[in-house]
Amino acid sequence: MASMLYEGRGTAQDKEKSISLYENLVETKAHDAGEAATRLSKIYKEEGDDTKAREYEKLAQSFGYKVTK
């Protein structure tokens, strides 16, 4: 759902809501928290926020995910 909102697939695009959903998955350590952290890292990198991108990259790694550049 978060990716659909971010990209506007099948619904109105809502990047803020998408980011909020991804952050909630990470904060609650949901079963797909690593994937959410990976996606947030890429989103923040695209937006030019390298600090947040690195923060979420480290979180993704803590869940066993590797963020590809």
Side-chain angles (χ1 to χ4, degrees):
M1 177 58 114
S3 66
M4 292 174 71
L5 283 168
Y6 190 80
E7 297 168 7
R9 284 184 288 125
T11 186
Q13 187 177 38
D14 189 341
K15 290 183 177 185
E16 288 181 28
K17 178 68 173 174
S18 173
I19 290 169
S20 176
L21 289 171
Y22 281 130
E23 288 175 341
N24 186 54
L25 290 170
V26 173
E27 289 170 12
T28 61
K29 298 182 180 167
H31 74 278
D32 49 359
E35 185 176 333
T38 299
R39 186 65 183 133
L40 283 167
S41 175
K42 291 178 180 181
I43 288 170
Y44 284 120
K45 183 73 171 173
E46 290 170 6
E47 292 182 354
D49 190 336
D50 292 335
T51 302
K52 278 193 173 184
R54 280 192 300 275
E55 175 186 333
Y56 281 104
E57 182 176 349
K58 288 178 184 177
L59 281 169
Q61 290 171 347
S62 74
F63 290 112
Y65 283 73
K66 182 176 181 177
V67 177
T68 57
K69 306 287 184 209

